[in-house]
Amino acid sequence: MKTLFFFYHNLKNDSKINQLNFPCYIENGSILVGSYDEKIGHLTKGNHEMISGKLVSFNASLQEVLQELNNPNHSLGTGKTKYELSTILVNVNNRVKEAFIIF
């Protein structure tokens, strides 16, 4: 089973992604958002601004990936107390793929 995620801000670092203990394939990608504050990593939905990040294809279920992202041993938190899971279209080498995004 493959699960696609788009990571931005602090989580777009390949070494942090590889901490997640799942086989994965990482590609550079970009998405359209309403607005993005690069300092704190806050984004809003929309199509006003393009940001870059990593499209990651995990060889794991959505539930397994979410549990691993929540694992405090990885120190992957962004300092937020509430997160939202959604889907987004990601441009990867002029191909569009749908992926999960956490914001």
Side-chain angles (χ1 to χ4, degrees):
M1 165 174 275
K2 298 273 186 209
T3 304
L4 295 173
F5 266 87
F6 181 79
F7 292 122
Y8 61 99
H9 196 56
N10 291 335
L11 290 180
K12 67 181 181 182
N13 180 310
D14 287 11
S15 64
K16 284 192 174 195
I17 295 168
N18 287 322
Q19 289 179 21
L20 295 174
N21 298 324
F22 293 118
C24 65
Y25 180 70
I26 302 170
E27 300 176 272
N28 291 319
S30 59
I31 61 171
L32 285 172
V33 298
S35 64
Y36 178 60
D37 183 332
E38 193 170 348
K39 289 181 184 176
I40 61 172
H42 181 265
L43 65 78
T44 60
K45 292 181 183 179
N47 61 359
H48 178 70
E49 187 176 340
M50 185 178 295
I51 66 168
S52 63
K54 301 291 182 169
L55 179 69
V56 183
S57 175
F58 290 106
N59 192 14
S61 71
L62 174 60
Q63 184 175 353
E64 290 170 321
V65 174
L66 290 175
Q67 285 177 339
E68 192 68 13
L69 284 169
N70 237 355
N71 184 337
N73 293 331
H74 299 310
S75 304
L76 297 174
T78 60
K80 295 181 186 178
T81 57
K82 186 175 180 180
Y83 297 90
E84 182 179 334
L85 178 69
S86 187
T87 57
I88 196 156
L89 296 176
V90 183
N91 179 344
V92 179
N93 297 321
N94 295 317
R95 292 178 295 143
V96 176
K97 298 181 180 186
E98 187 174 30
F100 290 103
I101 186 171
I102 299 173
F103 62 97

